[in-house]
Amino acid sequence: EAQVTQNPRYLITVTGKKLTVTCSQNMNHEYMSWYRQDPGLGLRQIYYSMNVEVTDKGDVPEGYKVSRKEKRNFPLILESPSPNQTSLYFCASSSTGFSNQPQHFGDGTRLSIL
Amino acid sequence: RKEVEQDPGPFNVPEGATVAFNCTYSNSASQSFFWYRQDCRKEPKLLMSVYSSGNEDGRFTAQLNRASQYISLLIRDSKLSDSATYLCVAPSRGRRALTFGSGTRLQVQP
């Protein structure tokens, strides 16, 4: 089954404790992206990757890191999480980065930073 | 001006009603658009693409108006299961990405 898989689905942690949210897709997609979703603000892009070893900042990259060492994986790293990073996070992928390609989303990760 | 703007709603309609949402976009060079559906706390799912000539899929019709820079979604014969938030999506300006609107909430009532 074609899918985007995120882990963990839920995480409660404390300020300053490094965490990684994994994202994996099995569709051989070139393009992957991370979003956060907050009430009233909609989906905002954090980082995206056009292909292996190619990453770029989205709208709200501060406080986040990403890497794309393999085509299927695109982890999101919070080196020193803070409460304002409490949010619902989605990973997405599409076959290419061209704007006529829809994106497929993972189930989401709900992060709470205390 | 936001790249993509939507009326947040909620739109409360009875079952069987026809409802329409509009969405405006600022990037006049945009060629491709999408409507996504998102249920509460779930992932967005592609509802339909929006082509220049319009697009129809069952009870759902999407239209593009380039002159006025808006896209629309029409839902006919609303079902209770149509209750969700509908996200309008357009290409981002200046980068290879898609910009999502904040969504329009639809509540279909019995």
Side-chain angles (χ1 to χ4, degrees):
Chain A
E1 180 189 350
Q3 58 186 6
V4 178
T5 304
Q6 295 178 226
N7 278 297
R9 292 290 311 282
Y10 303 91
L11 179 63
I12 301 174
T13 187
V14 296
T15 299
K17 186 176 181 183
K18 180 180 177 179
L19 67 91
T20 299
V21 185
T22 63
C23 174
S24 180
Q25 49 91 7
N26 63 0
M27 296 170 278
N28 201 36
H29 282 173
E30 291 183 354
Y31 185 95
M32 297 185 75
S33 180
W34 274 103
Y35 297 87
R36 61 178 287 173
Q37 188 172 34
D38 302 287
L41 297 177
L43 280 163
R44 293 180 293 167
Q45 192 180 48
I46 302 170
Y47 270 95
Y48 66 99
S49 170
M50 296 292 293
N51 213 324
V52 176
E53 301 293 1
V54 180
T55 62
D56 274 299
K57 296 178 180 178
D59 296 312
V60 288
E62 296 78 18
Y64 304 94
K65 286 174 59 176
V66 292
S67 68
R68 187 90 183 273
K69 293 186 171 59
E70 304 165 286
K71 199 171 189 178
R72 63 182 291 128
N73 295 323
F74 190 44
L76 179 70
I77 303 155
L78 284 70
E79 293 270 4
S80 184
S82 62
N84 65 10
Q85 293 177 299
T86 292
S87 188
L88 177 59
Y89 291 84
F90 289 105
C91 180
S93 72
S94 62
S95 56
T96 70
F98 292 106
S99 59
N100 62 350
Q101 298 295 316
Q103 293 184 13
H104 304 268
F105 284 80
D107 289 342
T109 295
R110 189 165 290 279
L111 280 183
S112 293
I113 317 292
L114 306 178
Chain B
R1 182 184 171 187
K2 285 185 181 179
E3 288 191 53
V4 178
E5 293 201 69
Q6 296 182 251
D7 181 343
F11 284 60
N12 295 305
V13 303
E15 269 187 292
T18 295
V19 61
F21 312 133
N22 281 347
C23 159
T24 58
Y25 61 92
S26 63
N27 185 2
S28 60
S30 297
Q31 299 288 323
S32 305
F33 305 87
F34 306 98
W35 282 103
Y36 277 71
R37 171 199 168 118
Q38 185 175 26
D39 294 291
C40 188
R41 295 170 183 258
K42 298 282 186 70
E43 77 277 19
K45 291 184 178 177
L46 179 68
L47 180 65
M48 58 199 309
S49 303
V50 186
Y51 306 120
S52 303
S53 55
N55 191 18
E56 185 171 325
D57 184 4
R59 298 182 293 109
F60 298 84
T61 300
Q63 296 279 357
L64 168 63
N65 184 316
R66 287 197 187 280
S68 301
Q69 291 185 214
Y70 74 85
I71 66 172
S72 63
L73 178 67
L74 180 79
I75 305 175
R76 290 180 295 277
D77 188 22
S78 299
K79 313 289 185 193
L80 294 176
S81 56
D82 294 333
S83 298
T85 296
Y86 291 85
L87 307 175
C88 169
V89 186
S92 303
R93 190 191 298 273
R95 67 178 192 273
R96 286 276 182 92
L98 297 175
T99 296
F100 286 74
S102 298
T104 298
R105 194 154 72 87
L106 172 67
Q107 185 67 47
V108 181
Q109 294 161 338

